[in-house]
């Protein structure tokens, strides 16, 4: 008899998402060391006992966030063939938009944490490592070159999305992805020639 994975209870997902969003919201306002379980539970609209059903403390929430983002990103990269995207990179960047659009409230908080850049820095480092690993394997590019390219693209992308989340978001995420992909693969001349 096969052991099928148990389906995840929607209530569990909803509660964990509430905790995660509450944590990200609080991180916009204060340092991680100043966040208490009490205020985290209150912001998530749960009681402390419920919080402890899922996490042993605030730092375990951080680990869970990092793990979830990296897992989603790894899944996103799983089917990516970089060579196929060289001529039409926008579909690759639209995948990033889809990732953000899966939970815009959370990513909005995450990307507007002005004083708590250490979490963003750790997440970006993990994403960079994963991207470099896939890129080096597929494109047979030297690791140091991949490192520079990924650093440039991810840093720029992060900055653009931080600005987008801080704005009125009148420009759709897909259009933002289009511009980022053109900049990343075609440079400034690519963006300017696309207008002409």
């Amino acid at each position: 008899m096969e052991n099928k994975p148990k389906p995840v209870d929607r209530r569990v997902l909803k509660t964990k998402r509430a905790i995660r969003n509450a944590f990200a919201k609080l991180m916009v306002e204060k340092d991680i060391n100043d966040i208490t379980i009490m205020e985290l539970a209150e912001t998530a609209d749960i009681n402390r006992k419920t919080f402890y059903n899922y996490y042993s403390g605030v730092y375990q929430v951080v680990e869970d966030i990092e793990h979830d983002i990296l897992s989603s990103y790894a899944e996103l990269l799983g089917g990516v063939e970089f060579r196929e995207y060289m001529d039409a990179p926008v579909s690759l960047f639209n995948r990033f938009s889809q990732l953000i659009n899966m939970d815009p409230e959370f990513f909005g908080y995450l990307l507007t944490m002005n004083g708590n850049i250490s979490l963003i820095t750790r997440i970006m480092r993990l994403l960079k490592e994963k991207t470099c690993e896939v890129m080096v394997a597929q494109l047979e590019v030297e690791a140091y070159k991949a490192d520079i390219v990924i650093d440039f693209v991810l840093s720029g992308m992060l900055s653009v999305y931080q600005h987008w989340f801080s704005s009125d978001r009148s420009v759709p995420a897909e259009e933002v992805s289009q511009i980022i992909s053109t900049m990343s693969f075609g440079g400034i001349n690519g963006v300017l020639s696309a207008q002409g």
Side-chain angles (χ1 to χ4, degrees):
M1 185 170 151
E2 279 185 45
N3 286 339
K4 292 183 181 177
K6 287 173 57 174
V8 180
D9 187 334
R10 286 179 181 264
R11 291 172 297 176
V12 170
L13 290 176
K14 185 178 177 184
T15 303
K16 288 183 92 172
R17 178 174 281 181
I19 293 169
R20 198 171 85 150
N21 286 354
F23 173 78
K25 181 179 183 180
L26 289 168
M27 286 280 287
V28 171
E29 302 164 5
K30 53 177 43 181
D31 188 80
I32 189 172
N33 297 319
D34 298 328
I35 296 173
T36 65
I37 302 300
M38 178 77 86
E39 68 185 333
L40 187 50
E42 189 175 297
T43 305
D45 198 23
I46 59 172
N47 61 46
R48 285 176 53 144
K49 184 179 183 299
T50 302
F51 176 87
Y52 285 116
N53 285 339
Y54 301 102
Y55 300 105
S56 61
V58 172
Y59 287 96
Q60 193 176 15
V61 177
V62 174
E63 289 172 14
D64 197 39
I65 287 170
E66 289 176 356
H67 177 267
D68 284 353
I69 290 174
L70 194 58
S71 294
S72 296
Y73 189 71
E75 191 175 309
L76 181 143
L77 283 181
V80 168
E81 289 291 334
F82 277 102
R83 289 189 194 286
E84 292 176 17
Y85 288 105
M86 298 307 271
D87 293 327
V90 72
S91 53
L92 175 62
F93 286 89
N94 278 337
R95 287 177 168 221
F96 294 115
S97 292
Q98 290 168 3
L99 182 65
I100 288 171
N101 285 332
M102 285 171 41
D103 196 350
E105 180 184 11
F106 169 73
F107 282 103
Y109 290 133
L110 184 71
L111 293 173
T112 54
M113 291 179 191
N114 295 327
N116 289 292
I117 59 167
S118 62
L119 176 60
I120 292 289
T121 303
R122 281 199 310 270
I123 290 170
M124 290 303 286
R125 181 179 45 78
L126 294 170
L127 297 181
K128 181 181 167 185
E129 287 171 6
K130 187 66 180 168
T131 307
C132 280
E133 177 186 310
V134 173
M135 190 178 202
V136 167
Q138 289 186 12
L139 297 180
E140 298 168 11
V141 65
E142 293 174 83
Y144 81 93
K145 288 181 182 177
D147 189 59
I148 292 169
V149 169
I150 299 303
D151 224 0
F152 180 81
V153 172
L154 286 179
S155 296
M157 198 164 74
L158 173 65
S159 179
V160 169
Y161 278 118
Q162 283 174 324
H163 177 75
W164 184 74
F165 273 107
S166 298
S167 72
D168 62 4
R169 301 185 207 171
S170 58
V171 178
E174 291 73 22
E175 189 172 339
V176 172
S177 293
Q178 171 71 51
I179 295 168
I180 291 171
S181 71
T182 303
M183 281 295 296
S184 298
F185 284 79
I188 294 170
N189 290 332
V191 172
L192 297 178
S193 66
Q195 291 181 351

